[in-house]
Amino acid sequence: MNTDPDTAGRPRATASAGRDLKRRGLLKTAGAGAAVLGVLAATGCTPSPTTRSSSSASSATQATLNLAPGDTSDGADNFYTSDQVSAQEVTFKNQYQMNVSGNLFVPKNLNRNATNPAMVVGHPMGAVKEQSANLYAMKMAEQGFVTLSLDLSFWGESEGQLRNAVSPDIYAEDFSAAVDYLRT
């Protein structure tokens, strides 16, 4: 923190430090807002100006409980799929020669003779591509985008030791390598 001594010789915060604190508070607020929107989107909720009655909430819960079970003999069967999109597992290397694992989603009606929009979809911290990135990538592919969801290095099926490490520099390289892969 930038400080200069006050008349008694104690450190005193400068205007620069005050701006840093305001910026940090703004970033925290923006992050919290993004997290809330993510939770709402993931649960299928939409903000409403009126509060739901408890009977409405209990009927929504009851509807969820009445879902038919899927075949779970090979694990969970709760992932969204689309008949409009083809999906395939891919692996590519980042500049550190680490294998990065991803899923490529391509609209089935894609004009392969044209330039098409594409995007890379990453997962939130503490997650892997199957927990949310695949859903967003699949939904965007339904809208005509070629999408690539990926497991960042140290997470999921991608390489990296220590597992679950946080390395923003390598993560940025993973996204860059994913863009390079999409260009091919």
Side-chain angles (χ1 to χ4, degrees):
M1 182 191 309
N2 295 334
T3 60
D4 59 9
D6 65 7
T7 56
R10 294 180 301 250
R12 176 178 63 188
T14 63
S16 163
R19 283 192 302 271
D20 287 345
L21 290 176
K22 286 181 184 176
R23 186 174 139 241
R24 185 174 293 129
L26 177 64
L27 291 173
K28 285 181 182 179
T29 302
V36 169
L37 290 174
V39 169
L40 289 174
T43 59
C45 294
T46 57
S48 172
T50 59
T51 305
R52 285 187 183 185
S53 68
S54 61
S55 64
S56 171
S58 67
S59 66
T61 303
Q62 185 62 33
T64 303
L65 296 175
N66 291 332
L67 291 175
D71 176 11
T72 58
S73 60
D74 292 320
D77 184 23
N78 60 350
F79 298 112
Y80 178 77
T81 57
S82 173
D83 58 357
Q84 303 169 31
V85 176
S86 65
Q88 72 181 65
E89 293 182 8
V90 298
T91 303
F92 51 92
K93 290 198 180 288
N94 64 16
Q95 77 173 354
Y96 302 103
Q97 297 306 305
M98 299 166 69
N99 284 323
V100 178
S101 177
N103 291 324
L104 182 66
F105 299 92
V106 180
K108 289 184 178 175
N109 63 355
L110 183 76
N111 179 356
R112 295 187 181 267
N113 296 322
T115 301
N116 296 287
M119 68 176 65
V120 178
V121 182
H123 58 80
M125 288 307 306
V128 294
K129 64 187 177 300
E130 291 81 7
Q131 289 175 299
S132 62
N134 280 353
L135 171 63
Y136 293 113
M138 180 77 71
K139 288 292 192 175
M140 294 307 295
E142 286 179 335
Q143 301 303 312
F145 289 86
V146 174
T147 58
L148 175 60
S149 67
L150 68 137
D151 279 330
L152 295 171
S153 294
F154 310 107
W155 293 87
E157 296 175 309
S158 291
E159 286 184 346
Q161 293 296 331
L162 299 167
R163 298 305 293 165
N164 305 333
V166 176
S167 179
D169 293 347
I170 294 177
Y171 294 170
E173 170 51 31
D174 290 344
F175 277 95
S176 180
V179 169
D180 291 343
Y181 181 86
L182 281 174
R183 292 181 59 109
T184 65

